[in-house]
């Protein structure tokens, strides 16, 4: 099997600004078709035309792990305030401190990061080594059967079912880590206003109107229980190939 990744960015004052990304695990015969699809996606992204597109094609040599997809629910909120109230209370139920939750919101509403922030769920300490880059969840693919089942479930609820599939794939790998208690995600796409919170406890909860339409904010944060071997955690999330079933 092969890992395919696409990353498109804008270059501004020597700084790379992420505009879109995609990735998956595929058979050799699928590489050409999927690479074309990724390139098209990079060049036609609503966040703008990129200055740089990186396509990575890598043969997977290690064993691919298999994990369960989180169950999906949609929670209908009508304003960002209502969404935040709901989210804050669900995260607090998991034992995440007020400080840690507030930090996650400030990261999501602050400067754009390419990856996710890692937050100590009690002390609110930022744990990832590179705070600009964050942690990226990579080497993931959803199994075809599960994909079809999820598409059926969400097709009436979203204009972009593919986005849901990709987000559930990320969230399921993240939630499989024993020390990660929860994740929060707001899309950085200005017009995609549904986000999610996820955890082993309550699954993947899609939250509508998590932000106002047209807002370019977004990001991801993972809440972790310490002590934790950060290097090992990052290696698993970024490098270990996983199929979500
Ligand atoms: C959904 O369930 O509708 C997806 C929400 C998160 C999308 C994150 C992203 O922009 O890819
Ligand atoms: Mg995006
Ligand atoms: Mg942000």
């Amino acid at each position: 099997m092969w890992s395919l990744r696409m990353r498109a960015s804008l270059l501004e004052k020597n700084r790379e600004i992420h505009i879109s990304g995609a990735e998956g695990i595929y058979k050799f015969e699928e590489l050409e078709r999927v690479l074309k699809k990724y390139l098209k996606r990079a060049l036609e992204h609503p966040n703008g035309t990129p200055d740089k597109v990186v396509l990575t094609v890598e043969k997977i040599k290690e064993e691919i792990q298999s994990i369960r997809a989180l169950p999906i629910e949609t929670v209908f909120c009508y304003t960002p305030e209502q969404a935040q109230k709901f989210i804050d209370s669900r995260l607090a139920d998991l034992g995440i401190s007020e400080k840690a939750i507030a930090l996650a919101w400030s990261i999501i509403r602050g400067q754009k990061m390419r990856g996710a922030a890692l937050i100590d769920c009690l002390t609110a300490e930022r744990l990832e080594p590179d705070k600009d880059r964050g942690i990226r969840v990579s080497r993931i693919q959803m199994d075809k059967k599960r994909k079809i089942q999820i598409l059926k479930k969400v097709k009436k609820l979203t204009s972009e079912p593919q986005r849901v599939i990709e987000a559930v794939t990320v969230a399921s790998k993240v939630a499989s880590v024993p020390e990660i208690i929860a994740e929060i995600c707001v899309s950085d796409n200005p017009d995609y206003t549904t986000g999610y919170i996820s955890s082993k406890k309550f699954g993947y909860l899609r939250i509508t109107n998590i932000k106002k339409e047209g807002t370019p904010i977004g990001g991801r944060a993972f809440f972790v229980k310490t002590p934790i071997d950060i290097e090992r955690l990052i290696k698993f999330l970024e490098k270990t190939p996983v199929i979500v079933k």
Side-chain angles (χ1 to χ4, degrees):
M1 299 296 277
W2 292 72
S3 162
L4 285 191
R5 300 192 295 284
M6 176 278 280
R7 192 154 46 81
S9 50
L10 282 172
L11 302 177
E12 261 177 35
K13 297 187 191 121
N14 283 331
R15 209 176 154 219
E16 273 187 39
I17 301 172
H18 168 86
I19 46 179
S20 76
E23 75 149 86
I25 296 172
Y26 297 95
K27 294 193 190 106
F28 182 78
E29 311 81 83
E30 297 173 295
L31 296 181
E32 199 177 320
R33 175 184 61 81
V34 180
L35 274 173
K36 277 189 189 150
K37 191 176 86 179
Y38 280 7
L39 184 61
K40 189 167 154 51
R41 183 161 159 179
L43 299 177
E44 294 172 3
H45 199 274
N47 282 359
T49 309
D51 295 317
K52 182 174 166 187
V53 180
V54 180
L55 293 162
T56 308
V57 183
E58 230 171 28
K59 186 163 187 182
I60 297 176
K61 305 251 170 160
E62 64 221 277
E63 200 185 324
I64 301 177
Q65 291 190 19
S66 169
I67 61 169
R68 298 288 296 176
L70 290 172
I72 305 174
E73 290 303 331
T74 299
V75 179
F76 295 93
C77 292
Y78 297 94
T79 63
E81 294 71 33
Q82 191 190 0
Q84 181 169 348
K85 211 169 154 198
F86 173 80
I87 290 167
D88 289 356
S89 96
R90 295 309 300 263
L91 295 178
D93 287 347
L94 296 173
I96 299 170
S97 72
E98 238 173 78
K99 273 205 287 206
I101 298 170
L103 177 63
W105 283 114
S106 84
I107 292 165
I108 285 168
R109 292 179 178 137
Q111 219 192 23
K112 257 196 189 143
M113 275 173 67
R114 274 202 270 155
L118 196 62
I119 302 175
D120 183 315
C121 71
L122 294 178
T123 66
E125 194 189 339
R126 280 284 288 280
L127 301 172
E128 76 274 21
D130 181 342
K131 313 240 171 341
D132 287 327
R133 177 185 178 274
I135 296 173
R136 290 218 289 269
V137 181
S138 200
R139 311 254 195 321
I140 43 175
Q141 177 68 49
M142 186 173 283
D143 162 71
K144 279 209 181 82
K145 270 194 209 136
R146 179 65 69 198
K147 223 187 247 182
I148 293 166
Q149 184 229 352
I150 294 176
L151 286 175
K152 259 194 205 148
K153 183 172 172 127
V154 301
K155 70 172 187 243
K156 289 206 183 82
L157 299 170
T158 176
S159 55
E160 296 183 50
Q162 185 58 30
R163 193 187 285 277
V164 183
I165 299 286
E166 285 167 18
V168 175
T169 311
V170 170
S172 301
K173 185 179 191 185
V174 171
S176 78
V177 176
E179 295 92 346
I180 296 185
I181 303 188
E183 173 184 352
I184 175 168
C185 169
V186 175
S187 176
D188 57 4
N189 184 307
D191 298 317
Y192 200 82
T193 57
T194 299
Y196 70 84
I197 51 172
S198 55
S199 81
K200 287 175 261 306
K201 281 260 167 69
F202 52 63
Y204 178 93
L205 300 183
R206 307 180 61 241
I207 318 278
T208 65
N209 295 302
I210 201 166
K211 68 171 183 180
K212 281 211 176 72
E213 202 160 322
T215 357
I217 64 156
R220 274 196 162 88
F222 307 150
F223 298 97
V224 294
K225 250 189 326 215
T226 54
I228 183 173
D229 182 341
I230 307 268
E231 233 171 87
R232 193 159 165 251
L233 169 82
I234 294 178
K235 183 161 178 270
F236 173 74
L237 292 175
E238 297 194 343
K239 300 273 192 289
T240 304
V242 158
I243 301 277
V244 175
K245 292 210 161 138

